[in-house]
Amino acid sequence: MELTMAGSREARLAALRGRIAAIEAGTRTPTPVLPFGDPAIDGCFPGGGLPLGGWHEVTGAGLEDETGAAPAAFVGLLLRPLVKTGAIVWVARRSDLFAPGLFGLGFPAERLIQVRTRDEAETLSVLEDALSTQGVAAAVGEAEAPDLTAGRRLQLACEKRGGFGVLLHRRPYGGRAGKGGAVSGSASFSRWRIGPAPSPPPPDDIGLGPPRWRVELERCRGGRPGGWILQAQEAGHGPHPFRLVSQLADHDVAAAESWRKAG
């Protein structure tokens, strides 16, 4: 099952091309994916979207590495399509997850299960158990710097029931600054860096505009990196939670340089 719903023709074609590429590459049966609904983004993934049977790393950019507000909002919105298939479990040592904020992004709070843990080991253990549990569509764990062994255990837990895992890098209260920037290695399918982006007020209004994020896909197994400005899309405006505002200029430059070298 793929959660494309009524996506655009371009998005469906991008997903189809990704599946064909995966089959031609000799991989296993194509995995169900969570697409963004825009070929400029979905074309970065070998399957046309983020695989549901895998886990993904998310870190903050700048001050967001400490506060975690923009990455948490991005992850909450990313998971919005999955709440129709099961509960979302959020595991953290901190107690600052702002559920009303997620609700404001169209995330149904009644499908959210929050778990408070005592240390990093317990966080990873609960996250692993959640991903293996029937009825859980996705699980998010806030951890500082899990090692490669923990990452492999998370991957096995995702594959067990096709769960979607997110590891949000954050240090605990009182933790040593700087350590949270470490990544766990190659066990995750993708690694993202998220920061806030300015949003203009709506036309004929002096209020705040929709939330926006500066989104960098730093690594993607079998795919390619990318960078975009994404805006929250209201639930009634289509099946996909984000709208592509623009592509980041530095990624355009990198792509052009690669093209010139190839030529």
Side-chain angles (χ1 to χ4, degrees), residues 119-218:
D119 53 37
E120 178 117 337
E122 190 174 57
T123 299
L124 295 171
S125 177
V126 173
L127 178 60
E128 186 180 335
D129 288 343
L131 289 166
S132 304
T133 301
Q134 187 173 9
V136 174
V140 183
E142 296 185 10
E144 189 173 15
D147 58 22
L148 189 57
T149 300
R152 288 172 175 164
R153 291 179 63 91
L154 288 178
Q155 180 57 37
L156 290 175
C158 290
E159 292 178 355
K160 187 175 182 179
R161 304 200 66 85
F164 187 90
V166 177
L167 199 145
L168 184 58
H169 283 269
R170 290 188 76 193
R171 66 187 176 100
Y173 292 125
R176 183 166 59 87
K179 186 179 178 182
V183 295
S184 58
S186 59
S188 66
F189 179 86
S190 66
R191 186 173 71 235
W192 302 75
R193 189 171 299 277
I194 308 297
S199 179
D204 304 323
D205 196 335
I206 59 173
L208 298 175
R212 285 185 176 181
W213 295 266
R214 178 187 172 93
V215 176
E216 295 181 72
L217 174 59
E218 297 182 329

